[in-house]
Amino acid sequence: MNNNNKKSLSPSPSERVGVRLIQITSGRGPAECTWVVAQVVKKVLEEAHEKQLKATVLQRETGQENGTVETAIIHLEGKNASNFVASWLGTIQWIGKSTFRKFHQRKNWFVGIFEIEQSKDTAFHEKDLQYQAMRSSGAGGQHVNKVSSAIRATHIPTGIAVVAMDSRSQHQNKKLATERLKQKIEENNWNQFKNQEQNAWSNQMQIERGNPVRVFEGSDFKKQKEDKSYKKERLKLKRQDYNE
């Protein structure tokens, strides 16, 4: 099956329910950005509750200052989780004076929100295993050539396979193959988890200082009012028509 043709595949149970994982991070920003992250986490949780979504903070790394957060990972679940996440993804801007450096002139601070691909742990069930007897290879005399004592065990959902030919007993080799296959599945789950962590870390370097999806202001962290006139959008469309 071609994995690239995602439209032809039916959605998984998690996709139907709406399960998403997001990371809110200050990147390599100063303490002011970690304060912003803490405020954004609160806003996301509050808004998720209003939208009747289940929001759980899976991980939170505190900043150096009290009440600050360097990065947080939030698990969101609900029918409208995808739309909710889409409305937050990107750069978040806070306009305000530094709460840690009184004489600092900078007033624009940026943090990022990224979606993290969830690692899909593979459950190990013996009912998902397929066993195939095969002849052993290597030294062993006539017994090796005549008796199919080796066992190939395949985990059908993933296609991961191992071979055991340590013993002359087919039963013992089957047991060994099962144990090795279980270990392989655990290693595969661990590698997926490490990849997820690596992707989360790389997000720290990708925050765009501009084009915010949401803007907040002041020490009370109020959301900036949106321009309902859509003047900028209309001017942009006019320029595109003119250039064409």
Side-chain angles (χ1 to χ4, degrees):
M1 181 179 292
N2 185 0
N3 293 330
N4 293 327
N5 189 14
K6 294 183 179 179
K7 292 183 179 179
S8 64
L9 301 176
S10 58
S12 66
S14 64
E15 289 173 331
R16 289 195 295 268
V17 172
V19 177
R20 293 292 184 270
L21 208 61
I22 62 171
Q23 178 192 23
I24 307 172
T25 177
S26 62
R28 302 184 68 180
E32 289 81 4
C33 292
T34 62
W35 180 83
V36 176
V37 169
Q39 307 312 309
V40 172
V41 169
K42 293 178 184 177
K43 291 291 184 182
V44 168
L45 296 177
E46 289 172 2
E47 190 172 312
H49 180 71
E50 292 172 0
K51 302 288 186 182
Q52 297 183 335
L53 298 173
K54 182 181 178 182
T56 307
V57 179
L58 299 182
Q59 181 180 336
R60 187 198 310 257
E61 295 182 16
T62 58
Q64 294 182 353
E65 301 290 342
N66 290 334
T68 64
V69 177
E70 288 189 359
T71 183
I73 296 177
I74 300 178
H75 180 275
L76 294 152
E77 183 176 347
K79 290 184 178 180
N80 297 314
S82 296
N83 292 335
F84 177 81
V85 168
S87 71
W88 278 97
L89 292 180
T91 299
I92 307 296
Q93 179 182 6
W94 175 60
I95 303 173
K97 293 183 179 180
S98 170
T99 55
F100 306 112
R101 294 177 286 179
K102 293 183 179 179
F103 302 106
H104 196 70
Q105 298 299 313
R106 180 177 168 183
K107 293 184 179 180
N108 293 291
W109 312 90
F110 301 94
V111 302
I113 298 185
F114 303 89
E115 184 168 10
I116 299 177
E117 184 177 352
Q118 300 178 71
S119 60
K120 299 177 181 178
D121 287 353
T122 301
F124 183 84
H125 301 292
E126 289 198 27
K127 64 180 182 180
D128 295 328
L129 307 186
Q130 184 180 67
Y131 298 98
Q132 179 185 1
M134 52 188 292
R135 289 186 178 182
S136 300
S137 61
Q142 294 181 355
H143 175 81
V144 170
N145 295 325
K146 295 180 179 180
V147 181
S148 299
S149 59
I151 293 293
R152 179 192 299 276
T154 304
H155 185 249
I156 298 173
T158 62
I160 297 174
V162 299
V163 174
M165 56 179 68
D166 305 54
S167 172
R168 290 189 175 186
S169 166
Q170 190 179 92
H171 176 75
Q172 185 63 24
N173 281 333
K174 182 178 180 181
K175 184 178 179 180
L176 289 171
T178 302
E179 292 174 354
R180 289 172 184 173
L181 194 53
K182 183 178 180 180
Q183 185 178 0
K184 280 276 189 180
I185 297 298
E186 290 174 352
E187 289 175 358
N188 186 58
N189 289 339
W190 174 250
N191 288 334
Q192 288 192 51
F193 173 75
K194 295 302 292 181
N195 288 337
Q196 178 180 301
E197 277 197 332
Q198 183 61 41
N199 291 336
W201 173 252
S202 67
N203 289 337
Q204 313 271 2
M205 311 294 291
Q206 297 177 17
I207 297 175
E208 182 181 1
R209 267 64 178 178
N211 300 319
V213 294
R214 300 200 186 195
V215 179
F216 297 89
E217 295 180 294
S219 58
D220 53 358
F221 211 75
K222 286 187 176 180
K223 186 178 179 182
Q224 191 179 70
K225 292 183 179 180
E226 296 178 2
D227 183 8
K228 299 298 184 179
S229 65
Y230 301 103
K231 183 177 179 180
K232 293 181 179 179
E233 286 78 2
R234 289 202 301 269
L235 288 173
K236 184 178 180 180
L237 290 172
K238 285 182 179 180
R239 292 194 192 99
Q240 289 178 350
D241 292 339
Y242 178 79
N243 291 332
E244 290 176 357

